[in-house]
Amino acid sequence: MRNALNMICRWVENPNSDALKRHLSRIHDYLWIAEDGMKTKITDGAQNWEIAFIVQAFLSADINDEYGPTIERALKYMKKAQVTRNPPGDQSYWFRNRSKDSWTLSTVDSGWGSSDTSAEVIKAILLLSRISLNLDQNFKEKQWLFDSVDFLLTVRVW
């Protein structure tokens, strides 16, 4: 629903804007016509949230030897799904926390960093670092993981 409302706001702001055109190109991600009328999604899924829990479940069930390649692909996905930049503009104007170095609930396209999802992904990654899979190449450059912990510290509540 948020995307649909953003699209309407962009249309009111400027019906010929590039921002509106980008919304229109993705409209089928969140609005569609079904047999019983128009349908909408609030978000484009919960992929990051789910994959973090799936990895944690695999590791707690001690089936990492059986599913090693799947778990390695999950780690590669988690690294790829990390938000690498903040949305453009002044974040304080929009009352937004930073998104950079976080994980969203769904996909990186969402851009809304989630402290809960980020914490669960970090937990899954830390658990992965303890197993004997060949993860060394994934952990050679650890700054991306340190940056994600820094994100969590920026959204803490006192």
Side-chain angles (χ1 to χ4, degrees):
M1 188 66 167
R2 179 189 55 166
N3 287 331
L5 292 175
N6 276 340
M7 182 176 61
I8 292 168
C9 292
R10 293 297 186 171
W11 178 80
V12 168
E13 183 179 69
N14 179 356
N16 298 312
S17 72
D18 288 336
L20 176 63
K21 290 174 187 172
R22 288 192 300 272
H23 273 287
L24 289 172
S25 70
R26 303 283 304 266
I27 196 168
H28 296 291
D29 291 348
Y30 50 89
L31 288 176
W32 67 96
I33 301 293
E35 304 81 36
D36 57 342
M38 182 171 277
K39 303 290 182 183
T40 185
K41 288 190 278 185
I42 293 173
T43 183
D44 58 350
Q47 293 86 330
N48 293 328
W49 179 253
E50 291 171 357
I51 200 162
F53 284 123
I54 290 167
V55 168
Q56 290 176 39
F58 277 12
L59 296 175
S60 67
D62 199 24
I63 56 175
N64 47 304
D65 290 336
E66 189 175 339
Y67 291 96
T70 301
I71 294 171
E72 286 190 61
R73 285 194 303 272
L75 175 64
K76 288 178 184 172
Y77 171 83
M78 288 186 283
K79 283 181 67 174
K80 185 178 177 182
Q82 187 177 23
V83 178
T84 58
R85 63 185 175 87
N86 287 317
D90 179 10
Q91 304 305 300
S92 64
Y93 178 79
W94 302 106
F95 302 100
R96 287 189 64 163
N97 291 322
R98 87 177 214 209
S99 295
K100 185 179 180 305
D101 305 318
S102 70
W103 281 270
T104 65
L105 174 66
S106 57
T107 64
V108 74
D109 290 339
S110 156
W112 287 87
S114 164
S115 58
D116 294 351
T117 303
S118 296
E120 295 300 340
V121 171
I122 291 169
K123 180 179 178 182
I125 291 168
L126 291 174
L127 289 171
L128 281 170
S129 71
R130 297 173 58 194
I131 63 176
S132 61
L133 290 173
N134 185 14
L135 298 177
D136 289 341
Q137 68 264 18
N138 293 312
F139 286 97
K140 280 187 180 161
E141 218 286 61
K142 296 180 184 176
Q143 191 60 46
W144 65 279
L145 187 56
F146 297 152
D147 291 342
S148 63
V149 172
D150 187 49
F151 163 78
L152 283 180
L153 293 173
T154 66
V155 294
R156 71 191 181 281
V157 177
W158 293 103

